[in-house]
């Protein structure tokens, strides 16, 4: 088994992609607000390099939490494989070039939705959003949809990655990786 947590993650994600019926890239993003209030929600992994990348509205509640604390936790749970991966680390913004490149891969309606959404803000009724979406659709009719300035991505650079594998009698296997300070990782086994 790999001693590089990023390589091991790639293996586990490939296994999940082959076996999970829906959204193997789904991960729970946990944040903490400046006042210490925790919050969790599901987002999709959209890139994996030295960190784990997801995209969102920069005016959302999650973005406010990330701006305030600059840390987050991610949890992948692949039920059919009886595995999970827990990641904790510092958060940084992706570059404008990265944000633009990813935005260009999204479906047109998803691009338009990024313009129309006031994510995390209450609306008086659904039709308000639907009307706004139609206005944005008309605004960009026949042309490309640029990435809005209020929409981009974040990278969670891990300082802790834990791989959890279900075992009989709740005697699970847990492998914890932490940076060794020299560009590598130290590994420890945790037990239930």
């Amino acid at each position: 088994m790999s001693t590089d947590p990023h390589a091991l993650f790639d293996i586990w994600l490939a296994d999940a992609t082959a076996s999970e019926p829906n959204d193997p890239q789904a991960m729970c993003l946990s944040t903490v607000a400046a006042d210490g209030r925790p919050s969790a929600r599901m987002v999709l992994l959209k890139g994996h390099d030295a960190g784990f990348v997801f995209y969102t509205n920069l005016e959302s509640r999650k973005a406010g939490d990330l701006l305030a604390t600059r840390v987050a936790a991610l949890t992948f749970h692949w039920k059919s494989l009886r595995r999970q991966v827990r990641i904790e680390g510092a958060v940084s913004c992706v570059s404008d070039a990265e944000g633009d490149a990813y935005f260009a891969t999204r479906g047109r309606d998803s691009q338009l939705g990024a313009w129309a959404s006031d994510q995390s803000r209450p609306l008086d009724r659904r039709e308000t959003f639907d009307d706004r979406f139609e206005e944005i659709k008309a605004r960009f009719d026949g042309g490309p949809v640029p990435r809005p300035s209020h929409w981009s991505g974040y990278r969670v650079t891990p300082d802790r990655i834990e791989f959890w594998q279900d075992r009989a009698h709740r005697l699970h296997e847990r492998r914890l990786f932490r940076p060794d300070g020299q560009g590598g990782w130290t590994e420890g086994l945790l037990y239930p």
Side-chain angles (χ1 to χ4, degrees):
M1 196 179 279
S2 178
T3 58
D4 173 356
H6 290 287
L8 181 55
F9 178 82
D10 288 339
I11 292 166
W12 279 29
L13 181 61
D15 291 346
T17 300
S19 70
E20 284 293 313
N22 292 303
D23 294 328
Q25 300 86 3
M27 57 187 183
C28 179
L29 167 66
S30 299
T31 60
V32 179
D35 65 2
R37 185 176 190 86
S39 182
R41 78 287 285 153
M42 301 304 292
V43 297
L44 294 176
L45 176 71
K46 293 299 181 180
H48 173 234
D49 45 27
F52 297 80
V53 177
F54 63 94
Y55 291 85
T56 190
N57 185 312
L58 300 179
E59 297 170 351
S60 65
R61 178 180 175 187
K62 71 178 92 56
D65 291 354
L66 295 171
L67 180 63
T69 64
R70 299 292 181 181
V71 295
L74 306 171
T75 304
F76 293 85
H77 179 228
W78 298 303
K79 188 171 183 172
S80 67
L81 294 173
R82 301 170 68 138
R83 292 177 176 169
Q84 59 181 316
V85 179
R86 297 175 56 214
I87 298 157
E88 298 172 19
V91 176
S92 59
C93 295
V94 302
S95 69
D96 285 342
E98 260 183 293
D100 291 343
Y102 174 69
F103 191 78
T105 70
R106 291 172 58 106
R108 187 172 183 84
D109 282 350
S110 293
Q111 292 175 334
L112 297 170
W115 278 92
S117 175
D118 281 340
Q119 197 173 39
S120 300
R121 292 185 193 86
L123 287 174
D124 57 346
R125 55 195 179 90
R126 172 65 192 209
E127 290 77 14
T128 300
F129 174 77
D130 293 340
D131 292 345
R132 188 179 306 147
F133 182 85
E134 290 303 318
E135 289 169 13
I136 295 294
K137 190 174 177 181
R139 176 178 166 189
F140 292 110
D141 186 38
V145 181
R147 179 177 62 87
S149 61
H150 65 267
W151 191 95
S152 193
Y154 291 99
R155 177 176 282 103
V156 178
T157 301
D159 56 32
R160 179 182 178 105
I161 305 177
E162 180 184 317
F163 293 83
W164 179 94
Q165 176 70 58
D166 181 52
R167 297 287 186 233
H169 313 293
R170 302 189 59 78
L171 302 176
H172 314 308
E173 179 179 298
R174 295 166 60 199
R175 298 176 68 194
L176 175 63
F177 293 87
R178 292 186 177 173
D180 66 7
Q182 300 179 26
W185 295 86
T186 60
E187 179 185 357
L189 291 177
L190 303 174
Y191 293 96

